[in-house]
Each structure stands twice: as structure tokens, then as C-alpha cells.
Amino acid sequence: MANAGRWTAGLAVLALAAGGCALGTGDDRRRAEELAAKQFPGQLTVVTARNLFPESSGSEVVFALTGDPDTVVRLRVDAEAGTCERQPCERKLAEAVDKGKSLGTAWRHLATAFQRCGHPIIAANWPLNEVWIEAAPTNANVKALLADVGECVQEWAKVREGRGGLSVNLVEPAVAGKRPRGEPGQPTLLRMTESKLLAALSEKSRFIAGYAVPEDPSEPPEATARIFRPFAERQAFDKKVQDAVAGWLRANRPGASVGRVVGVWRLEPGTVDRQSGHVLFCEGQPKGEVCHGDQVVAVTVDPQGNPVGRLQVIEDVRDEKGTLRLPDDADGGQGTG
């Protein structure tokens, strides 16, 4: 068995050696640097380059913009094919620079708004529709905290371009304090969107506030709150809720079978420990099928998944096409994050 393991490892090394050119970024990086020197002399400096997994060729090359400590420019280069995203590289680089500058300006508007209102951003996603800040919501402070962060969002909405809402992740100080900080000297937007940083901030459950921004930026944005759980933790939580509802159904709807949990991550207004949603169920046990259910049990649970308060059956929750229609339009997902 040990010999087989060494044989397999040896084959892997040979394969890497044989395919070394495909796995490297050197040619793509050089091609990107040549393009930058020709089209934008003295303006672009390569910061990083990485392979485009699972693609077998090409790299993403990231540039810093001279005189701009925030902005990054991303270009997908395939030197072997002589293209960038299967198009002429000169055109794609020009587009990437324009996009990078635009996103850099958007970042400054967003970061400045949150900095001024006392909640500096510690991470963001690349589209800049989701940010992370350090905060510790409790039942005692959550209403005021959401309103306070809402002022940051409102300030940002006055100067941004385009429309759409913003998701704000509230990260406990103990988690935020251990986050990776990125390489010194890298552009701010690259450090704030780095995958290792986002992964570290997503290892634990977290509170997320979603802000729907009105067309009139003078009006305060409407906030909804939810809990995000990592996959394994969410599976265990859903199982706890399902088991509790199954027990309740045995006493109240004998013969019924439990389906999936739908949207039990939405927080009751003014709380951080009361989540409401629904659990689908079927009358009887479907033969060889998962219970999709046209009825639900409405539940409110604590952070461990234990029901608090009265459970309620809601019938006929699917329309004539079989689409699930719940009273509050729960979709069963966990949203962004």
C-alpha cells in the first residue's frame, strides 16, 4: 500500500513536470507587462498573477495604478493563444483600466461614508455590494446599531452611481481581530477583497443586515436582518428545527412527514436570538420521494434551533404551477455571504 502511494505521488510529480508550462504564469505575466508598457506607459505595475482554475491555460494578472493607492486593474491573459478572454488584448486592457478606475472611485465613496459614520469597512466583495464591519449586536443594542449603520448606507447612497442595496456583515471583534491583513503596499481594494480575508471572516456564524435603498437618498434605507451560518453548522441547525417540527406534527398531524427548512435565518425585528421561517411538510409519506410539501409549519426558534412560541400550520402555499408562495416571500436561501 505504501509503495502504491509512492508510485501515485511519483506520477503526480511527473505530470506536473510535463505540464509545467500550462501551470505557470510567467508567459502571461510578461505579455501583460508588455501590453501595459505599450498602452499605459508608467501607469500600471503588476502586483499578482494566478492561474485561471479550472481552465488549462491563461492567467489573471492584477495591476496597481500609479498614483492611486486604492485601485486595481484585473486582466485575463492567455499568452499562448494571443488573446485576453478570447478577444484582442489591447481592447480588453483598456476596458479593464476603465473598470478598475470606476470601481476604485466607487470604493472610495463607500469607504469614506462608513469611515465618517464610525464603522470603518474591514472587507468587501468585488462587486462592492457587500461589506464587512466590526460590531457586536445584542438584543439591547441591535435596533440602534442597525439605524446607525443605516446612516452610513444612506450617506453612501447620496454619492454612488447606479442602484441596488447593500449587505453589511457585522463581525464579532474577536473574529475581526484575527483576520489576515493582506500584503503591505498592495492596493487597498485588493487587500479588502482578498479571498483569504473573506474566508476567515466567514468561518463563524455572523449577523447580516440587508439595506434596501430608496430611490430618494434623503429617505433612510429599510433594513432586514438575518443570520449566516457556515455549511456544516447550518446543516445541524436545520436538522434540529426539522426534528422539533416532526415531533410537533406527530402530536398534531399524525402521519405527516417533514420536508425542508425554508428561510429560518430571518431575525425577528429588534432581536439577535429569535429567527422565524417555515418547515415544509406533507400529509402522509411520499413513496420514494422527498417531501416537497404544499403546507408549512411557521416557526420561531432560538439560536440553537429550539422552537419558542406557538407553531402554526399554513396550508396551500403553492400556486397552480407548483411555485412556493409563502406569506413573507421566504426563499429558503442564505442570501449574499
Side-chain angles (χ1 to χ4, degrees):
M1 188 65 69
N3 289 336
R6 286 194 294 270
W7 175 250
T8 302
L11 286 177
V13 170
L14 289 173
L16 287 172
C21 294
L23 293 175
T25 60
D27 290 346
D28 298 326
R29 179 171 180 147
R30 283 189 290 274
R31 175 58 177 149
E33 289 174 328
E34 291 169 359
L35 286 165
K38 180 180 179 180
Q39 286 183 253
F40 299 94
Q43 298 181 55
L44 298 174
T45 303
V46 173
V47 179
T48 64
R50 66 177 182 86
N51 292 114
L52 292 173
F53 182 82
E55 298 175 35
S56 59
S57 62
S59 309
E60 181 187 66
V61 179
V62 178
F63 300 91
L65 188 63
T66 301
D68 187 337
D70 299 321
T71 296
V72 293
V73 174
R74 297 175 185 262
L75 180 68
R76 293 191 165 197
V77 185
D78 187 342
E80 185 177 353
T83 60
C84 296
E85 298 181 50
R86 300 180 182 178
Q87 295 185 35
C89 284
E90 290 78 7
R91 184 173 73 199
K92 295 305 295 185
L93 178 58
E95 292 175 0
V97 169
D98 287 344
K99 183 178 180 179
K101 288 180 177 179
S102 177
L103 204 59
T105 299
W107 161 253
R108 282 186 284 273
H109 288 158
L110 183 59
T112 299
F114 275 74
Q115 184 74 39
R116 284 177 177 171
C117 73
H119 293 288
I121 294 171
I122 62 173
N125 69 347
W126 184 244
L128 295 183
N129 57 14
E130 184 172 11
V131 299
W132 282 252
I133 65 173
E134 184 176 333
T138 65
N139 282 347
N141 71 10
V142 65
K143 187 174 181 180
L145 182 57
L146 288 178
D148 196 28
V149 175
E151 292 180 6
C152 306
V153 176
Q154 187 174 14
E155 190 67 24
W156 160 72
K158 293 176 182 178
V159 294
R160 67 167 179 166
E161 295 182 0
R163 296 183 178 180
L166 185 71
S167 291
V168 182
N169 296 263
L170 278 58
V171 181
E172 294 284 343
V175 176
K178 296 178 181 178
R179 71 188 187 276
R181 308 290 174 133
E183 295 293 329
Q186 285 188 339
T188 307
L189 194 50
L190 184 59
R191 288 187 288 107
M192 288 293 174
T193 58
E194 213 275 325
S195 58
K196 290 182 181 178
L197 169 61
L198 299 185
L201 295 177
S202 299
E203 287 180 353
K204 304 289 185 180
S205 296
R206 64 184 185 274
F207 183 105
I208 303 179
Y211 289 89
V213 181
E215 290 189 17
D216 181 355
S218 65
E219 296 179 9
E222 181 182 347
T224 57
R226 57 191 173 88
I227 293 291
F228 174 89
R229 289 181 171 82
F231 179 76
E233 188 177 331
R234 186 171 76 247
Q235 293 288 93
F237 175 83
D238 286 357
K239 179 66 165 52
K240 187 74 174 288
V241 175
Q242 283 177 318
D243 288 348
V245 170
W248 183 85
L249 285 171
R250 281 194 295 271
N252 294 272
R253 303 290 282 256
S257 56
V258 174
R260 66 186 177 95
V261 174
V262 183
V264 185
W265 40 257
R266 297 182 308 279
L267 286 162
E268 290 285 294
T271 76
V272 298
D273 60 0
R274 293 292 182 267
Q275 298 166 240
S276 296
H278 303 87
V279 179
L280 291 161
F281 75 93
C282 301
E283 297 290 0
Q285 181 66 48
K287 294 182 179 179
E289 296 181 7
V290 174
C291 167
H292 297 292
D294 55 8
Q295 301 175 85
V296 296
V297 176
V299 298
T300 298
V301 301
D302 66 15
Q304 290 72 46
N306 302 304
V308 291
R310 187 170 67 93
L311 280 67
Q312 179 185 359
V313 170
I314 302 174
E315 299 182 345
D316 300 324
V317 293
R318 294 190 185 275
D319 62 19
E320 61 278 1
K321 295 181 179 180
T323 303
L324 191 61
R325 302 293 185 190
L326 295 171
D328 50 7
D329 295 323
D331 63 9
Q334 285 232 107
T336 332

